[in-house]
Amino acid sequence: MRRRYMDAIALVQHFGKPDIFLTMTCNPCWPEIQEHLQPMEEVQNRPDLVSRVFRAKVEELKTNIQKTNIFGKIAAFMYTIEFQKRGLPHAHFLIILMDGYKLLTPQSYDKIVCAELPDPHIDHHLHKLVTKHMIHGPCGYLNPSNSCMQKEGKCKFKYPKQLTEQTTKGKNLYPLYKRPKIITPIKVRGHNIDNSWIVPYNPFLLKKFGCHINVEICSDIKVIKYIYKYICKGHDKIAFFVHNNDTNVEIDEIKEY
Ligand SMILES: [Zn+2]
């Protein structure tokens, strides 16, 4: 584990601070999973199928990041895939953009990350996807027993987030994304939800993958320590790669799940 942290640090020393942090979680309702289940068979009993499909989705996402350059040209990126004992596999990506593509202003953040409910009259499909995959909890005063709640009665992911009319750089790990007040909150899992509960997403990727896919701008180098915490949580299996456009270096890999 120590070595992976060092790999991440070496990458940053060589290519600079990461610009984007992305987390994708497997969706057990993906048709590629559902159509291969036997009648009465349950997803949790087919980890082989789940990991195969998830792996394919991660490959597709890598293509979007590295070849299609959806965020701009990439200097390097690294990712981990985690298979927890309970819960669904998920992947974390750290992406470093090339000079000239760096995200330097709140306007450039807004082009990549969105943290508000879309207008259902303008984009009904996206609205449905956000309410299905990108609502945190809720926790806190709406639901004090949610799993993210810590002893002090605070959400470990710091939800609900501050409502704000525009994106600003913020003081912590991530910027403050635009989360305007909405007139009529929507009902999700029995609670009234406004923009303070939206997990930041990229509309294109959310539509393409139809799963929980959190995209954040890294405004601070501390993100590396944050990733390190993820890596060291003690998961069953982990794959960790470091890539760049020229050499496609793989520092560490577990090819077979
Ligand atoms: Zn929470």
Side-chain angles (χ1 to χ4, degrees):
M1 287 307 172
R2 179 81 193 149
R3 178 165 164 228
R4 286 179 185 132
Y5 181 53
M6 294 316 290
D7 290 344
I9 293 297
L11 192 81
V12 169
Q13 278 170 346
H14 195 258
F15 294 102
K17 180 185 84 62
D19 298 283
I20 296 165
F21 178 45
L22 182 155
T23 301
M24 176 162 85
T25 305
C26 180
N27 178 1
C29 299
W30 272 329
E32 296 91 334
I33 293 179
Q34 289 297 322
E35 70 201 15
H36 289 101
L37 289 175
Q38 302 297 324
M40 309 297 283
E41 194 173 37
E42 296 191 29
V43 176
Q44 57 266 39
N45 299 327
R46 289 295 307 278
D48 58 322
L49 174 63
V50 169
S51 52
R52 196 168 67 234
V53 172
F54 188 61
R55 165 90 195 204
K57 297 280 182 183
V58 169
E59 287 303 314
E60 209 177 319
L61 177 59
K62 275 165 63 184
T63 303
N64 277 131
I65 294 169
Q66 200 179 15
K67 307 249 157 65
T68 328
N69 295 319
I70 50 159
F71 300 126
K73 284 202 173 151
I74 300 294
F77 72 96
M78 64 188 113
Y79 68 98
T80 67
I81 299 179
E82 300 174 5
F83 294 84
Q84 290 168 305
K85 286 199 181 74
R86 267 166 287 174
L88 293 159
H90 54 273
H92 300 293
F93 282 76
L94 271 181
I95 299 159
I96 304 174
L97 298 171
M98 278 166 82
D99 286 343
Y101 293 87
K102 293 280 184 197
L103 308 166
L104 304 173
T105 61
Q107 290 75 19
S108 65
Y109 304 168
D110 287 341
K111 285 190 187 136
I112 288 180
V113 177
C114 181
E116 56 182 309
L117 280 164
D119 185 336
H121 304 293
I122 294 172
D123 198 336
H124 180 71
H125 179 53
L126 185 64
H127 184 268
K128 239 171 101 178
L129 288 166
V130 173
T131 54
K132 195 165 176 199
H133 299 294
M134 305 312 298
I135 308 288
H136 176 75
C139 57
Y141 59 93
L142 293 179
N143 183 15
S145 58
N146 203 48
S147 59
C148 59
M149 293 299 280
Q150 294 169 315
K151 280 187 194 113
E152 322 83 75
K154 285 199 171 136
C155 167
K156 72 176 162 191
F157 303 106
K158 299 191 170 70
Y159 283 89
K161 305 279 185 182
Q162 186 184 326
L163 292 178
T164 165
E165 292 300 314
Q166 20 176 319
T167 302
T168 51
K169 286 201 167 178
K171 289 192 194 84
N172 298 315
L173 220 55
Y174 304 119
L176 284 175
Y177 303 108
K178 181 184 166 199
R179 297 174 182 272
K181 275 198 185 113
I182 46 174
I183 300 150
T184 32
I186 55 154
K187 268 262 193 280
V188 177
R189 298 188 276 273
H191 299 283
N192 283 330
I193 293 300
D194 65 7
N195 283 329
S196 60
W197 299 100
I198 310 296
V199 179
Y201 63 94
N202 173 276
F204 170 80
L205 291 179
L206 180 56
K207 280 184 175 172
K208 171 151 190 187
F209 289 96
C211 62
H212 176 93
I213 184 160
N214 172 213
V215 181
E216 305 256 6
I217 308 293
C218 308
S219 52
D220 200 302
I221 192 75
K222 274 184 260 161
V223 76
I224 290 290
K225 284 205 166 155
Y226 185 64
I227 303 295
Y228 180 50
K229 268 197 248 165
Y230 269 115
I231 294 169
C232 292
K233 274 190 304 192
H235 299 292
D236 274 4
K237 277 177 189 162
I238 193 163
F240 193 92
F241 301 75
V242 177
H243 286 245
N244 68 51
N245 276 345
D246 307 324
T247 52
N248 233 19
V249 189
E250 295 188 359
I251 289 181
D252 189 5
E253 60 179 304
I254 299 168
K255 275 202 169 151
E256 302 300 324
Y257 300 117

